[in-house]
Amino acid sequence: MGKILIFGHKNPDTDSITSSLVLANLERKMGREVESCRLGKINKESEYVLRYVGMEAPRLLEDVEDGAEVMLVDHASNKESIDNLDNTKILKIIDHHKVALNTGYPLYYRAEPVGCTETILYKLYQENGVEIDKKIAILMLSAIISDTLLFKSPTCTPEDIKVAKELAKIAEIDCDTYGLEMLKAGTDLTGLSIPEILNLDAKEIDLKKVKSVIAQVNTASIADVMAIQADLETGMQKIMEEKQLDLFMLLITDIVNSDSQVIVLGKRADLVETSYGVKLENNTALLKGVVSRKKQVVPILTENV
Ligand code: MG
Ligand code: MG
Ligand code: MG
């Protein structure tokens, strides 16, 4: 039997990348043979973090053999995971999303409604008496900053803030300065194709019967991204046809002002209008104060289907 594989979701974000490294470190300290993996390309924000700590990215995992032992971080759904997940043996899940997986066998499952997987992993280090070194602290802190948009997202809980403060001490980092630099690194779209931009942080979600993709791209300037609206729409249209979607919603999230400009296509685009009381003009609208897909988009759209 090979090593236990630890990975986060497809289109990995900083939480998925760092949590696979951080859990792997913990498991090794506990004497298990594990390997940190990822299910997609490293984004520029994660690249910034890895460069900052001087660590290699987890190995890109193309597929897993039947019966492989795995641990999931930052996700708990088939759709967001490796294709062959059903034929693997899931030993452990550490996550902060809704439960969307039924294994049919017992496993270690730790889910808490906090802003970031790393906040849970921090507790696991404490519970197991494993010391958090400076590099690990920087990885963890980066993910908390990323997932909570520097503590401004409604997904951020007092626990995330408390843990981040502890980590910042170990990391010897000023959260605001480092955090903004890191988030800005993630907004750099140069060299990315339209499909790559649309896939940076895209999730396929069924809102009841409405087949949807809800994608998000962070920016420091909504206008800069809206300058390529026509190209984005062409790309969205293509994905909609391929995946037979009813709705494609792209959130262009202003990380400084915490608003999202949305581009919405599909026969159920009306859902966005009724959910937020806005009128889409030229397929777009500004959603004031909306930054979290998990808290401010998915449940609201679902309720309005
Ligand atoms: Mg994530
Ligand atoms: Mg996360
Ligand atoms: Mg996210």
Side-chain angles (χ1 to χ4, degrees), residues 15 74 96-97 117 147:
D15 190 19
D74 196 32
H96 66 126
H97 297 86
T117 309
D147 267 9

Side-chain angles (χ1 to χ4, degrees), residues 13 147 201 216 293:
D13 54 11
D147 267 9
D201 180 9
Q216 190 164 26
R293 171 174 47 205

Side-chain angles (χ1 to χ4, degrees), residues 94-144:
I94 316 290
D95 187 34
H96 66 126
H97 297 86
K98 72 173 178 195
V99 184
L101 195 76
N102 192 349
T103 56
Y105 53 84
L107 73 157
Y108 183 100
Y109 195 122
R110 178 82 170 253
E112 295 188 28
V114 289
C116 183
T117 309
E118 297 287 13
T119 301
I120 309 167
L121 287 173
Y122 177 88
K123 294 187 198 179
L124 290 179
Y125 271 72
Q126 304 253 296
E127 288 165 19
N128 289 290
V130 174
E131 201 199 328
I132 295 171
D133 67 26
K134 193 171 171 175
K135 281 189 179 189
I136 294 292
I138 296 170
L139 293 177
M140 294 174 118
L141 180 60
S142 300
I144 297 175

